[in-house]
Structures are given as C-alpha cells and as structure tokens.
Amino acid sequence: MPESMVPIFRSLGPLETYLSELYSHNFGTIGCAIWVDTEEALSIEKVHRALEFIQTTIPHLQLCIRRNEWKELVFSKMPEVVIDFSCVRASDWSPIYHDLFKYNFNVENGPLWCCKLVTLPPLGNTHKNVIMFGFHHAITDNMSMLILCDKFLKALRDLIKDNPISDTYEYAILPAFEKLIKRSDISTQLGDILPGLSYTWRGSIVFQNRYFSIYPPYWMSCQRSGPVHWS
C-alpha cells in the first residue's frame, strides 16, 4: 500500500501516548504464555490460521504508530498487514518468554505484537507446547489481552477439530480511554476507585513494584532476570 494511502484511525490518547513513550525507554511490553497439550503434534499451519483470524477480527492487531503532519502520535493501519510468528523447539520455555519483554517491535510499520510457538519435549504420548504473545502496551491492556487469547484459543480449538471457526464477533477501535469515561450516563462512586488508587500508588513506587524489579527500565542499575508471572 502506498504511504499516502495508509489509513489513520485516530490520535493516541494521553494514556496511550504515555505508554508509547515508556516503550521508547525500554519499558511497556506486556505478554502472556498459554500451555497447549495435544494428543497429536500441533499443526503450525493451524496456529498461523488462528492468528490470521484474530488479526482480521481485531483491528488493534493491524496497527502501527506514526506521527502525522502536526507531529502527533496516531494509530495507522500497517502498510502491509503481516504476522510476526516464529516457532522454536526448546527444553525450557522461560528464557524465550523472558525475551518477549525486551522485544523490538517495528513501531512505524507494525505489527505491534508477536507470537512464538515453543515446542517442548513430549511427556509420554502428550505433545507439550507453549504459545506466547507479546504486545506493545499501547494497543492492549491485560484484560483485553486475555479476551484476545481466549478468542485465539477458541479458533485454534475449532481448527484442530477441522471445524469452521464458530466465533465470528468482530471488534472495533474505540475512542481513547479518556474520552470513553466522559459520559453522563456513567457515574462513579468514591468506593469504586479507592482500591484502584491504592494499587496504582503502590505500583508507582519503583522498588515496590514487582514488574519493575524483574524488568526495570533502562535507567535502573539492577539486572533483568526471570519471566513475569501475572497474578
């Protein structure tokens, strides 16, 4: 697609801009790992088809981040929609998962996510696999990531059974979070936000934040070690 024809969806909101800036300082990648046990060897082709399906139905997976003529950060559609998918055989999945949080996304051209299929040694007659996803934090949060992975697993399950993919729901790119919460028909009580404020305050203290302690920004002297285990 010619550069002049690349669609622009919208400008990044304040939180998305903040997350984009964090990524430029070596922080701001989120990820998850899914264990998949199968009776037969997992088909790489079917995993790729499931990835194609979620990329088609979730437009966030077609995004890149660029600057418009006014130098504002904007979400654009990738000039060429591709999937960053790789496969590896390994006896230990954890170093590969650890590296996801240092992944170098092609921010200006996309994709802003990746997937790795790690094939582990079989256990008896069971084929052991770990499917890992890494995301630029500006395109998804932890809850959305879980919804995305659930959609992927449902599609993969259908494909493994040689059935048509049953989940046909398509998502849309909504306005920035800050615009969504400014609605007259939604009210918030103080009790609704106190737990979140408390968690945010504790998490903002760098040396009390578990994620920071394992995957510190570049300006911290402590060394990265080990994968994140989300709780």
Side-chain angles (χ1 to χ4, degrees):
M1 181 184 298
E3 293 289 321
S4 59
M5 297 178 63
V6 173
I8 294 177
F9 290 103
R10 63 168 175 82
S11 298
L12 274 66
L15 178 58
E16 293 160 341
T17 300
Y18 170 70
L19 294 172
S20 182
E21 181 65 21
L22 280 181
Y23 180 79
S24 68
H25 291 287
N26 199 30
F27 177 71
T29 301
I30 61 174
C32 64
I34 306 168
W35 278 255
V36 179
D37 294 347
T38 56
E39 294 179 355
E40 299 180 359
L42 186 59
S43 166
I44 294 174
E45 184 264 341
K46 290 181 178 179
V47 173
H48 195 274
R49 284 171 58 192
L51 294 173
E52 289 179 332
F53 168 75
I54 62 172
Q55 188 177 49
T56 301
T57 55
I58 303 177
H60 306 73
L61 302 183
Q62 304 173 28
L63 294 178
C64 59
I65 298 176
R66 298 184 168 195
R67 291 192 181 272
N68 62 16
E69 56 186 309
W70 299 285
K71 306 301 181 182
E72 298 171 327
L73 289 174
V74 295
F75 284 127
S76 297
K77 185 171 182 177
M78 294 163 53
E80 180 183 358
V81 179
V82 296
I83 295 176
D84 188 347
F85 175 52
S86 58
C87 308
V88 62
R89 293 183 179 274
S91 58
D92 184 7
W93 59 272
S94 56
I96 302 168
Y97 186 61
H98 166 73
D99 287 342
L100 275 182
F101 295 88
K102 301 178 289 184
Y103 202 79
N104 185 25
F105 297 111
N106 187 337
V107 175
E108 291 191 356
N109 293 305
L112 299 178
W113 64 288
C114 65
C115 178
K116 294 183 179 294
L117 170 61
V118 182
T119 302
L120 301 173
L123 183 61
N125 295 325
T126 301
H127 293 266
K128 312 288 288 185
N129 307 276
V130 184
I131 299 175
M132 303 176 183
F133 286 93
F135 300 93
H136 190 300
H137 204 348
I139 66 167
T140 188
D141 57 24
N142 288 342
M143 184 59 69
S144 301
M145 178 174 64
L146 295 178
I147 294 172
L148 182 152
C149 290
D150 181 65
K151 190 177 184 72
F152 165 78
L153 285 175
K154 288 178 179 177
L156 181 60
R157 187 182 300 116
D158 286 337
L159 292 170
I160 288 174
K161 295 180 179 179
D162 293 322
N163 293 330
I165 296 176
S166 56
D167 181 2
T168 58
Y169 186 82
E170 295 189 15
Y171 290 85
I173 296 176
L174 298 175
F177 169 76
E178 293 80 4
K179 293 184 178 180
L180 284 176
I181 61 176
K182 294 180 180 179
R183 290 176 49 177
S184 59
D185 58 330
I186 298 178
S187 62
T188 302
Q189 304 297 322
L190 182 59
D192 296 332
I193 63 174
L194 284 178
L197 289 175
S198 174
Y199 178 83
T200 301
W201 169 251
R202 294 195 307 271
S204 65
I205 302 174
V206 171
F207 297 102
Q208 292 186 11
N209 185 302
R210 183 177 56 173
Y211 186 92
F212 271 118
S213 66
I214 299 175
Y215 296 102
Y218 74 101
W219 44 265
M220 290 181 62
S221 59
C222 49
Q223 186 176 3
R224 297 184 175 192
S225 60
V228 167
H229 298 282
W230 298 103
S231 60

